[in-house]
C-alpha cells in the first residue's frame, strides 16, 4: 500500500511503509491555481509516483520524492 499524504512525518509515525508526498492539505492531489492542463500533469505525476512506489521492493519506511 502507498500512503499519499501532505504531512509525511505523520505517515512515518503511523507506520506507513511507502509514502508519496502530496501537494497541500486542502488539495492533496491537485492545485486549483494551475491551469487545467498543468493540474492534470501534476495529478498524473503523483499517481505515477505512487504506482512506482508499489512496484519498488523496500525493507524500511521509504518516502518517494
Amino acid at each position: 500500500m502507498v500512503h499519499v499524504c501532505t504531512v509525511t512525518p505523520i505517515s512515518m509515525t503511523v507506520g506507513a511503509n511507502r509514502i508519496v508526498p502530496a501537494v497541500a492539505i486542502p488539495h492533496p492531489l491537485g492545485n486549483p491555481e494551475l491551469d487545467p492542463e498543468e493540474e492534470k500533469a501534476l495529478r498524473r505525476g503523483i499517481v505515477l509516483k505512487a504506482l512506482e512506489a508499489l512496484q519498488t521492493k523496500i525493507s524500511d519506511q521509504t518516502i518517494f520524492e
Side-chain angles (χ1 to χ4, degrees):
M1 178 168 54
V2 177
H3 190 215
V4 178
C5 66
T6 55
V7 186
T8 57
I10 293 173
S11 296
M12 298 290 287
T13 301
V14 299
N17 287 330
R18 293 173 174 85
I19 303 165
V20 172
V23 179
I25 291 173
H27 307 286
L29 293 176
N31 181 347
E33 295 181 11
L34 298 175
D35 68 57
E37 288 181 17
E38 290 175 322
E39 185 173 33
K40 183 178 179 180
L42 174 65
R43 290 178 183 209
R44 182 177 176 84
I46 293 170
V47 170
L48 290 175
K49 182 62 68 177
L51 290 172
E52 176 186 324
L54 276 175
Q55 297 175 31
T56 303
K57 292 186 179 189
I58 59 169
S59 57
D60 294 319
Q61 286 181 306
T62 304
I63 298 176
F64 292 83
E65 298 288 340

